[in-house]
Amino acid sequence: MKNLILVLSLFIGSLSMGQTILKGTISTDGNPLPMANVVLKKMNKATITDENGKFEFKNLPLGNYDLHVSYTGLQSERASISLSDTTIVVVDFNLKANHSLDEVVVTGTLKPVTRLESAVPVEVYKPSFFKKNPTANVFDALQNVNGVRPQLNCNICNTGDIHINGLEGPYTLVLIDGMPIVSGLSTVYGLSGIPNSLLERIEIVKGPASSLYGSEAVGGLINIITKKPYSAPVFSADSFVTDWGEFNLDLGFKANVGKTASVLTGVNYFNYSNPIDNNHDNFTDVTLQDRVSVFQKWNFERKSKKLFSLAGRYFYEDRWGGELQWEKKYRGGDEVYGESIYTKRWELLGAYELPTVEKMLLSFSYTDHDQNSVYGNTPYLAQQRIGFGQLTWDKKLGTHDLLFGTALRYQYYNDNTPATIIEDINWIPSLFVQDEITFSDKHKILLGARYDYNKNHGNIFTPRFAYKWKVNDKNIIRFNTGTGFRIVNLFTEEHAALTGSRDVIVLETLKPERSYNANLNYLKKFHTKNGAFIGIETTAWYTYFTNSILPDYDTNPNQIIYKNLDGYAVTTGISTNVDMIFGNGLKLIVGATLMEVSKKENNIKTQQILTEKFSGTWAISYRVNPLFLDIDYTGNVYGPMRLPLLGDLDPRKDYSPTWSIQNIQFTFNKFKNIEIYTGIKNLLNWTPNKGNPFIIARASDPFDKNVQYDTEGNVQASADNPYALTFDPSYVYGPNQGIRSFFGVRYTLK
């Protein structure tokens, strides 16, 4: 009888083991997480999630278990599970961003490493940050990043660039997936064509990075990392409109192609076709735009599990600004003034991990940019092609984490300006090496150097040094120093050289810009007794330029003069970011920057034009759970900037006031997969014309038909021109767009 009972017990137990299943899905921000770690502590069993973020344990005995899930860069979570019968138990996890600042970054050292372990300070911004103030492109989205300022360079066509720590846009290198494809023409004409829909995250390094990335990375770099097809939602849509008539649409699609490939497609369309002239100068306050961008990224599954991805993007934009009565029939003429810009651009980039025992990665990109622009009756027709290939070898030897690399850059440029008599073709080969040495868990140094050869400027060498002292898990000190270099491409980068009536004077052959930089970074994080998290990061920096090519508006008000620096230039300052997260749903991200950007020539020190001495940003978010409502209050503030005047009689202010753009947004997310958001941009209704008699000089005579000159070419005051001015739209330091409301809807199908 006892034997019969024992046999029945074993039989019932085997049925229980065979039928008890523990499974679930792991996601983050609504997106499934493949390759997440799942550990069942009691059984010492572990697995990873599949491409859909799903996991499963079969044949589990009845009992209690601790289930732990983790994913690099996200907060780990655990759950206590009780299996008391033979049913299937489903447990889902939604991992949140790791507020311990332990995200994985790649930009600082060209290899994946957590922020805490990186010897180079890297700031990380995810789509959730940019959704607090929805914008149509990455250029506008960066307005709430501390120390980073999107700068408009023209009151009429609204082209712009991105300043980091006060340095002009050409000093900022913009990467997509680590490839330097946003440069030259695209720093002026292509930034508005990068849609937010393709963002996985943005990584920002402030300070020279030329030892890894070469020319243009003098002020810093911005790495736009795109979504991975396997982790993206199956379908997403985000669209908003404003009461100014702006319309933006982002669409995303994901599909599996067979068993070995997945593809993500993103489409962005933006349109603004409603001329508005609130400052009554007969010129459009905001440029009219019709823009489309199509992005596609492929990931290929290889048996070796090594990386292979391809991506491409096509961008087209038709934008114009000018007198309200302007039509396309006036394009290029001198009857009605307009600035009309057609941009066509396509990009290809990819990464292939070689099938070798050693970890070797081949990265490549190619861009083709066609620019057809007319500024009044001045045409600017330009073509630029950039090819880039890079091979890196990642090798660890004991305490040394080595990176060897070689790169080859092909540059083609041609335009219709006097600066380009014949097409410019250049091949730039490069070699670089980096050694990250770990002495202990607390101390690490990084040594790096890069060699480039440019046929016009010869051999260029850029070394780099970094030291990280991890005092403990909550206190980290980093010191970085290095050199930077940049080769100036005047007409591709300096929009002021093309628009307005100032004459462009290049006094001599422009040499490469050279700089020396040092910065000290301190990171502090702690949790309060009531469960709040606070992270504080402060960086002080000093950059010294032995040569800097800056436009001189002061010597002659009728000219923009370019020459090599006869002296030196300095940018120095301190910046602090504070992240605070409270248990009651309140989140605060606050940043402040103090800096001085100046040059000294002939013992005369001057502040750089269009550079603020202080700035601040904030994003305050609060979740009202009973109402399914998120409230986001974002904004920025900028101190006075020196502005380009046209002479002693110019009545406009020589310094801008302290100004601020503030926004509020309300997001309702009760319905599954749907978010409805609305709000107000520029709550204070601030525009730069306040306090000035006008912004655009001589808007009533844009072709200077009634300007009178003396025998030496100087503008003379007259009854029609009492301030002795010529037409000029370069007096711009902030957006002309006033207060406006917006309404949008997001839909995500996981």
Side-chain angles (χ1 to χ4, degrees):
M1 186 66 178
K2 290 182 178 180
N3 291 336
L4 179 59
I5 294 174
L6 178 60
V7 171
L8 289 173
S9 299
L10 290 173
F11 178 70
I12 294 172
S14 65
L15 287 176
S16 298
M17 290 181 63
Q19 296 180 12
T20 304
I21 297 174
L22 174 61
K23 65 179 184 178
T25 302
I26 301 177
S27 60
T28 181
D29 291 333
N31 299 321
L33 276 178
M35 306 297 290
N37 298 305
V38 187
V39 179
L40 206 57
K41 288 291 186 179
K42 182 178 179 181
M43 297 290 293
N44 289 324
K45 285 189 173 184
T47 186
I48 60 174
T49 55
D50 62 18
E51 62 180 11
N52 297 313
K54 297 185 180 300
F55 70 90
E56 185 175 292
F57 293 101
K58 295 181 178 180
N59 301 325
L60 295 178
L62 304 182
N64 298 321
Y65 298 90
D66 283 330
L67 185 64
H68 290 235
V69 298
S70 62
Y71 189 87
T72 305
L74 300 175
Q75 289 182 355
S76 300
E77 290 193 12
R78 61 179 296 274
S80 297
I81 308 299
S82 178
L83 302 180
S84 57
D85 54 34
T86 60
T87 60
I88 298 174
V89 177
V90 179
V91 183
D92 295 333
F93 294 88
N94 183 31
L95 302 188
K96 298 179 180 179
N98 192 337
H99 300 304
S100 64
L101 306 177
D102 208 18
E103 301 98 338
V104 173
V105 296
V106 296
T107 306
T109 59
L110 271 180
K111 58 175 66 181
V113 61
T114 64
R115 280 191 67 196
L116 291 181
E117 295 304 319
S118 174
V120 178
V122 180
E123 297 180 15
V124 180
Y125 298 91
K126 297 187 177 180
S128 57
F129 175 82
F130 299 113
K131 287 179 180 179
K132 298 176 187 296
N133 178 32
T135 59
N137 55 69
V138 171
F139 175 78
D140 292 331
L142 292 170
Q143 65 185 273
N144 289 118
V145 176
N146 182 33
V148 177
R149 182 168 67 86
Q151 166 67 40
L152 293 178
N153 293 324
C154 177
N155 268 307
I156 299 175
C157 66
N158 291 167
T159 55
D161 52 35
I162 298 174
H163 291 202
I164 293 182
N165 288 345
L167 292 177
E168 296 284 337
Y171 296 93
T172 299
L173 179 62
V174 182
L175 312 168
I176 295 183
D177 287 339
M179 291 289 95
I181 63 175
V182 182
S183 58
L185 286 171
S186 60
T187 60
V188 176
Y189 301 100
L191 289 174
S192 61
I194 302 175
N196 292 327
S197 57
L198 58 84
L199 289 184
E200 174 78 18
R201 67 185 187 275
I202 290 181
E203 297 181 3
I204 299 176
V205 175
K206 298 174 181 176
S210 296
S211 63
L212 272 183
Y213 295 96
S215 181
E216 300 166 24
V218 177
L221 61 92
I222 298 172
N223 192 3
I224 300 168
I225 298 174
T226 61
K227 293 179 180 178
K228 299 176 178 62
Y230 59 75
S231 60
V234 174
F235 174 75
S236 64
D238 186 351
S239 182
F240 69 83
V241 296
T242 73
D243 63 354
W244 274 54
E246 297 160 296
F247 172 77
N248 185 74
L249 174 65
D250 280 311
L251 297 175
F253 311 86
K254 182 184 77 170
N256 294 322
V257 183
K259 297 182 179 180
T260 59
S262 55
V263 58
L264 172 67
T265 302
V267 179
N268 170 258
Y269 177 70
F270 177 81
N271 181 272
Y272 172 64
S273 305
N274 182 35
I276 292 177
D277 177 25
N278 286 338
N279 58 13
H280 307 298
D281 59 3
N282 195 42
F283 274 74
T284 54
D285 290 345
V286 178
T287 305
L288 290 301
Q289 302 172 55
D290 194 27
R291 180 173 67 238
V292 63
S293 178
V294 181
F295 174 82
Q296 191 168 84
K297 186 174 184 179
W298 290 74
N299 269 25
F300 299 94
E301 184 73 25
R302 300 164 64 189
K303 291 182 179 180
S304 61
K305 302 299 181 183
K306 290 182 178 290
L307 174 66
F308 180 27
S309 67
L310 284 173
R313 186 172 74 100
Y314 175 76
F315 164 60
Y316 173 78
E317 182 180 58
D318 174 4
R319 66 162 58 200
W320 75 269
E323 294 184 275
L324 295 180
Q325 63 269 32
W326 187 89
E327 300 176 16
K328 288 189 183 294
K329 65 182 180 181
Y330 297 117
R331 192 176 197 266
D334 63 357
E335 185 177 351
V336 179
Y337 189 90
E339 296 186 357
S340 172
I341 299 174
Y342 301 147
T343 301
K344 295 180 182 179
R345 177 179 177 86
W346 63 270
E347 306 161 350
L348 174 69
L349 61 154
Y352 180 77
E353 197 171 348
L354 300 186
T356 58
V357 176
E358 299 292 339
K359 191 174 182 180
M360 303 183 75
L361 179 66
L362 175 66
S363 304
F364 51 90
S365 66
Y366 183 80
T367 67
D368 189 294
H369 188 116
D370 182 81
Q371 195 65 43
N372 184 328
S373 306
V374 173
Y375 302 94
N377 57 358
T378 302
Y380 175 56
L381 309 176
Q383 297 82 39
Q384 185 175 53
R385 305 180 190 113
I386 298 176
F388 183 82
Q390 178 174 277
L391 179 65
T392 57
W393 176 24
D394 188 351
K395 180 70 175 179
K396 291 186 178 181
L397 292 173
T399 59
H400 296 263
D401 193 349
L402 296 159
L403 181 73
F404 301 93
T406 181
L408 180 64
R409 181 170 177 145
Y410 163 79
Q411 294 184 163
Y412 169 91
Y413 177 76
N414 193 21
D415 66 25
N416 65 319
T417 70
T420 310
I421 299 175
I422 61 173
E423 59 189 24
D424 180 28
I425 299 176
N426 204 352
W427 293 86
I428 304 175
S430 309
L431 295 170
F432 58 90
V433 62
Q434 176 180 276
D435 185 9
E436 197 168 11
I437 308 170
T438 303
F439 294 98
S440 66
D441 183 55
K442 294 182 178 294
H443 300 282
K444 179 186 294 186
I445 67 170
L446 182 147
L447 304 173
R450 182 183 180 105
Y451 165 79
D452 294 83
Y453 176 77
N454 184 290
K455 70 176 183 179
N456 298 320
H457 304 288
N459 302 313
I460 302 172
F461 178 69
T462 49
R464 180 189 200 188
F465 171 82
Y467 167 67
K468 181 177 77 74
W469 176 23
K470 184 179 179 182
V471 181
N472 51 47
D473 288 338
K474 298 181 179 180
N475 294 272
I476 296 176
I477 297 173
R478 298 178 175 95
F479 173 75
N480 279 254
T481 185
T483 63
F485 79 95
R486 188 177 78 88
I487 297 169
V488 177
N489 299 291
L490 186 61
F491 284 92
T492 67
E493 300 165 349
E494 297 287 356
H495 178 267
L498 295 166
T499 186
S501 59
R502 295 180 191 247
D503 294 326
V504 177
I505 307 297
V506 182
L507 295 180
E508 57 190 334
T509 301
L510 301 180
K511 300 177 182 179
E513 297 182 316
R514 297 302 302 254
S515 69
Y516 300 88
N517 170 271
N519 66 68
L520 183 65
N521 174 270
Y522 173 57
L523 174 64
K524 169 73 174 180
K525 57 174 184 171
F526 55 90
H527 292 81
T528 64
K529 292 182 179 179
N530 60 3
F533 167 81
I534 300 177
I536 303 173
E537 187 166 10
T538 298
T539 301
W541 77 90
Y542 179 87
T543 303
Y544 180 94
F545 287 89
T546 58
N547 187 36
S548 181
I549 312 299
L550 299 172
D552 177 4
Y553 294 89
D554 303 320
T555 301
N556 187 327
N558 299 314
Q559 297 176 342
I560 306 175
I561 300 173
Y562 295 93
K563 66 181 183 63
N564 296 305
L565 183 65
D566 184 17
Y568 63 87
V570 170
T571 171
T572 183
I574 185 169
S575 178
T576 297
N577 289 317
V578 180
D579 292 358
M580 292 177 281
I581 302 172
F582 300 94
N584 62 358
L586 180 65
K587 299 180 182 179
L588 290 88
I589 303 173
V590 181
T593 298
L594 296 173
M595 63 184 174
E596 181 174 339
V597 183
S598 62
K599 69 174 181 178
K600 191 170 185 179
E601 289 186 294
N602 302 319
N603 292 321
I604 299 175
K605 182 179 178 181
T606 56
Q607 180 182 340
Q608 183 173 311
I609 283 180
L610 294 173
T611 301
E612 68 279 10
K613 286 197 172 185
F614 70 86
S615 65
T617 59
W618 65 86
I620 303 173
S621 303
Y622 184 70
R623 170 75 172 174
V624 185
N625 283 313
L627 301 178
F628 302 94
L629 184 67
D630 290 310
I631 304 173
D632 296 296
Y633 171 50
T634 60
N636 51 49
V637 60
Y638 298 105
M641 309 176 195
R642 192 167 73 90
L643 302 173
L645 298 180
L646 290 176
D648 295 335
L649 298 179
D650 194 331
R652 296 173 295 181
K653 295 180 179 179
D654 55 351
Y655 278 84
S656 67
T658 298
W659 56 282
S660 174
I661 300 292
Q662 302 178 25
N663 321 284
I664 193 166
Q665 176 183 246
F666 302 91
T667 305
F668 182 70
N669 47 28
K670 179 179 181 180
F671 305 112
K672 183 179 180 180
N673 302 332
I674 296 176
E675 288 184 341
I676 301 172
Y677 57 94
T678 187
I680 299 175
K681 290 178 179 287
N682 197 355
L683 281 165
L684 304 180
N685 196 27
W686 178 88
T687 54
N689 63 293
K690 294 183 177 180
N692 274 309
F694 51 83
I695 293 296
I696 299 176
R698 295 287 293 171
S700 61
D701 183 22
F703 295 100
D704 290 337
K705 293 180 179 180
N706 299 317
V707 174
Q708 299 177 18
Y709 301 88
D710 63 16
T711 56
E712 296 182 356
N714 298 312
V715 180
Q716 295 294 291
S718 64
D720 178 65
N721 189 10
Y723 306 120
L725 304 178
T726 56
F727 174 72
D728 184 62
S730 64
Y731 186 93
V732 56
Y733 58 92
N736 283 321
Q737 196 170 19
I739 189 171
R740 60 204 182 278
S741 62
F742 63 91
F743 176 83
V745 178
R746 297 187 188 100
Y747 175 78
T748 304
L749 179 63
K750 302 176 185 178

